[in-house]
């Protein structure tokens, strides 16, 4: 049970922003929200994580709803290299380090 | 920084033989390493968690006598698939986490290796 819900797939055009949603309605107070992505035939890559506040880093932004039941990963300008499977994972508390990967969202970026 | 390597990247072995996969953190000390398995068109499944110098903790349904994990140092963990069978053919991925990063929940910023594709014939 991955405990998050994501759309199976999304499409975007190059250089346009992409908003990848994630639902985690049963999240506990100690769970962080993590995003990883996986390019074909590669290991996953850490993207970003957050707890309550919105977060920004060089790769993306993470917008977390006030009730923490959902979040959105924002890629500000999609490139072809951003085409990947994006995984939203809630984890924390006593499950030290254990990441449960769901099916993720397959992002296709069109030139 | 935070590079994890795996060796070999691909391996083909005959049924009944054993295969060892190495996972190394190249530029940091990994207090914890994780091993995952991924079948085609599926998501990653955690197999086991290993801490340096102690026995690995296996997920339910993963045979510890078949998948031997050794985490002898802070930069190296190995996974040995013993008596491999065709159903063990899969993409094996390791990850490593480091401690002591400010603001990072312990264990969750994991750095993944490139994976090892195992084919058992």
């Amino acid at each position: 049970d991955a405990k998050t819900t994501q759309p199976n797939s999304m499409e975007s055009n190059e250089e346009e922003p992409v908003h990848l949603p994630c639902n985690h309605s049963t999240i506990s107070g100690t769970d962080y929200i993590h995003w990883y992505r996986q390019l074909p035939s590669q290991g996953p890559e850490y993207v970003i994580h957050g707890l309550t506040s919105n977060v920004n880093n060089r790769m993306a932004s993470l917008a977390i709803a006030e009730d923490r039941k959902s979040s959105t990963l924002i890629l500000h300008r999609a490139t072809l290299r951003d085409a990947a499977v994006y995984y939203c994972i809630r984890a924390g508390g006593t499950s030290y380090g254990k990441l449960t990967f769901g099916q993720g969202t397959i992002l296709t970026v069109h030139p | 920084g935070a590079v994890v390597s795996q060796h070999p990247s691909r391996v083909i072995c005959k049924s009944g033989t054993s295969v060892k996969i190495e996972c190394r953190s190249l530029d940091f000390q990994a207090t914890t390493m994780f091993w995952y398995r991924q079948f085609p068109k599926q998501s990653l499944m955690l197999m086991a968690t290993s801490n340096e110098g102690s026995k690995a903790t296996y997920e339910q349904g993963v045979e510890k006598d078949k998948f031997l994990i050794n985490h002898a140092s802070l930069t190296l963990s190995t996974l040995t698939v013993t008596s491999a069978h065709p159903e063990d053919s899969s993409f094996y991925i390791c990850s490593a986490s480091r401690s002591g990063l400010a603001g990072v929940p312990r264990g969750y910023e994991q750095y993944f290796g490139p994976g090892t594709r195992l084919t058992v014939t």
Side-chain angles (χ1 to χ4, degrees), chain A residues 31-103:
Chain A
D31 282 351
Y32 283 75
I33 300 148
H34 306 261
W35 284 83
Y36 283 78
R37 70 181 185 182
Q38 185 178 25
L39 278 66
S41 298
Q42 294 187 28
E45 176 186 27
Y46 168 83
V47 178
I48 201 167
H49 77 276
L51 183 61
T52 56
S53 304
N54 294 344
V55 185
N56 301 294
N57 66 21
R58 62 176 180 83
M59 289 182 71
S61 295
L62 176 60
I64 302 172
E66 199 169 327
D67 62 7
R68 300 209 329 124
K69 293 185 177 181
S70 65
S71 62
T72 302
L73 179 70
I74 302 165
L75 306 179
H76 296 284
R77 290 181 65 193
T79 68
L80 297 178
R81 290 177 296 177
D82 291 323
V85 181
Y86 285 79
Y87 296 99
C88 167
I89 302 168
R90 45 165 276 209
T94 58
S95 60
Y96 171 83
K98 290 175 62 171
L99 299 176
T100 301
F101 285 79
Q103 291 306 307

Side-chain angles (χ1 to χ4, degrees), chain A residues 38-43, chain B residues 10 38 91 93 114-115 117:
Chain A
Q38 185 178 25
L39 278 66
S41 298
Q42 294 187 28
Chain B
R10 290 178 180 271
Q38 185 174 32
F91 193 47
I93 308 169
R117 190 161 302 282

